[in-house]
Amino acid sequence: MLKPLHKHLLNDFQRDFPLCSRPYQDIAHQLGVSEEDVLLALTELNNNNFISRIGLIIPPNQLGVSTLVAMAIPEYDLESVAVKISAYSEVNHNYEREHTFNLWFVAVANNTEHLQAVLEHIEQDTGYKTMSVPLLDDFFIDLGFQLDLQNA
Amino acid sequence: MIKLDDTDLLIMRATQAGLPLTPQPYQHIAEQLGLTTEVVMSRMTAMQAQGIIRRIGAIPNHYKLGYQFNGMTVWNVPDENIDELGQKVGQLDFVSHCYHRPRHLPDWPYNLFAMVHGKTQADVDSQIQQISDLLGHANRACEVLYSTKILKKTGFRSRS
């Protein structure tokens, strides 16, 4: 399904996206194709959800304060609690996981006080305790993710 | 946290959903915000240089590309070794995120989190074994938490 151009775009342009007036043309030059080819291929990847976007990756805590939060919710209440939490604008990732701690979300706020207030509000709102595990140190060297696309 | 001004924040918000797939994406953003293209590009360059933007590029959807097994592995390692061990685990090519987070005893004794991605369960099992081998005696306990449902995934939204 994926052509060589798609695969190049997926693997070789996860970082250092050109910051010039015609970045897709710059990429096209690098790959020996036309600007139109690059735009079309990226649009295809985007429309089919192979890429989520051409985006900026921002390390945690650069813009405001964030934390990862876990909650242990009984099965019968999981759906309604999950819906309540997803409704907070301060929550931007909410995942269900297979574990006693079965609800995991990332909360972001402008400052620590606000973040704390949001978690307290969530506890009052849902009736369950939150367990906050903020980032203390980041060990990752972000080189993007080399994808094995042989069978893609 | 490095101080960003209103222009920086405007640019960050405008690019949150991604760069437009049009021939001059930065000009497009500039026009939306009432800025010049030069300002948009120079601010983004500066933020990248300062590490506020880690990278700009195509963000693959691992799940759609066959990496359907994504596990949050958590480990309990001695605090005095966590920097050294964290660096080693973070460099493994199947680890996309590696963080030191606080324990919450007694229910949650884990202080090292590593996200792994594989195409099959067997791949992920092997990856977990590799981390375990790397940690050796330092590995006091570990678990893997698989996500069963993504309930929300909106990326960064700054508060105005």
Side-chain angles (χ1 to χ4, degrees):
Chain A
M1 211 237 116
L2 292 177
K3 302 192 209 111
L5 178 57
H6 292 126
K7 295 184 184 186
H8 278 302
L9 291 168
L10 279 168
N11 258 335
D12 305 329
F13 292 93
Q14 290 180 31
R15 60 185 306 107
D16 299 326
F17 193 77
L19 261 164
C20 61
S21 67
R22 298 187 87 103
Y24 304 110
Q25 191 179 75
D26 193 298
I27 292 170
H29 281 154
Q30 292 181 51
L31 295 175
V33 297
S34 73
E35 184 186 49
E36 216 179 279
D37 290 333
V38 170
L39 279 166
L40 183 61
L42 286 171
T43 305
E44 284 171 347
L45 287 171
N46 199 38
N47 289 347
N48 288 294
N49 226 15
F50 287 109
I51 58 173
S52 62
R53 63 192 191 279
I54 306 290
L56 280 50
I57 298 290
I58 302 160
N61 294 320
Q62 288 303 326
L63 294 157
V65 173
S66 74
T67 186
L68 180 64
V69 183
M71 296 178 80
I73 314 289
E75 204 53 47
Y76 62 83
D77 245 349
L78 188 55
E79 198 178 324
S80 70
V81 170
V83 164
K84 281 186 179 171
I85 287 170
S86 289
Y88 284 79
S89 60
E90 293 89 349
V91 170
N92 62 20
H93 278 73
N94 193 6
Y95 285 54
E96 221 176 274
R97 292 190 184 276
E98 281 172 336
H99 193 268
T100 312
F101 286 106
N102 49 4
L103 207 58
W104 290 78
F105 58 93
V106 174
V108 188
N110 276 344
N111 53 56
T112 321
E113 293 72 33
H114 182 178
L115 190 61
Q116 200 44 50
V118 168
L119 296 186
E120 280 166 17
H121 201 272
I122 286 174
E123 288 184 340
Q124 280 161 37
D125 198 7
T126 62
Y128 295 101
K129 283 266 152 216
T130 58
M131 179 176 80
S132 175
V133 284
L135 179 68
L136 298 177
D137 212 341
D138 183 348
F139 299 116
F140 181 61
I141 305 157
D142 189 10
L143 299 170
F145 191 80
Q146 270 302 305
L147 300 151
D148 172 5
L149 299 171
Q150 279 175 54
N151 302 313
Chain B
M1 194 178 97
I2 300 161
K3 198 84 176 86
L4 296 173
D5 69 12
D6 291 338
T7 305
D8 295 316
L9 289 173
L10 267 179
I11 293 168
M12 292 299 244
R13 271 197 283 269
T15 53
Q16 193 45 41
L19 293 179
L21 287 169
T22 56
Q24 296 182 81
Y26 304 113
Q27 184 182 318
H28 183 114
I29 292 161
E31 280 166 7
Q32 265 183 297
L33 301 177
L35 300 168
T36 66
T37 314
E38 288 71 33
V39 163
V40 170
M41 291 199 299
S42 69
R43 291 303 185 107
M44 287 178 75
T45 305
M47 286 193 277
Q48 216 174 350
Q50 286 171 59
I52 294 162
I53 297 171
R54 178 173 264 156
R55 59 180 167 94
I56 304 172
I59 296 171
N61 180 351
H62 302 110
Y63 195 86
K64 182 85 191 210
L65 291 162
Y67 289 81
Q68 310 220 325
F69 291 83
N70 304 288
M72 184 172 82
T73 70
V74 294
W75 309 81
N76 178 12
V77 301
D79 290 329
E80 60 267 25
N81 302 127
I82 193 154
D83 284 343
E84 181 208 333
L85 295 173
Q87 301 279 359
K88 287 186 179 168
V89 173
Q91 282 172 45
L92 294 169
D93 62 11
F94 49 78
V95 170
S96 63
H97 300 283
C98 188
Y99 298 134
H100 176 195
R101 299 187 186 275
R103 297 184 181 87
H104 280 262
L105 297 170
D107 304 314
W108 188 256
Y110 309 107
N111 58 352
L112 185 63
F113 285 55
M115 286 297 312
V116 302
H117 305 273
K119 292 187 162 188
T120 64
Q121 185 61 60
D123 283 345
V124 172
D125 291 340
S126 150
Q127 290 165 1
I128 293 166
Q129 190 58 51
Q130 286 177 65
I131 298 176
S132 176
D133 292 343
L134 197 153
L135 295 174
H137 296 302
N139 173 21
R140 294 162 170 169
C142 71
E143 288 197 67
V144 191
L145 288 83
Y146 292 101
S147 54
T148 50
K149 234 193 217 173
I150 299 171
L151 301 159
K152 190 177 185 183
K153 200 174 183 186
T154 57
F156 163 78
R157 290 280 182 269
S158 78
R159 314 276 296 139
S160 44

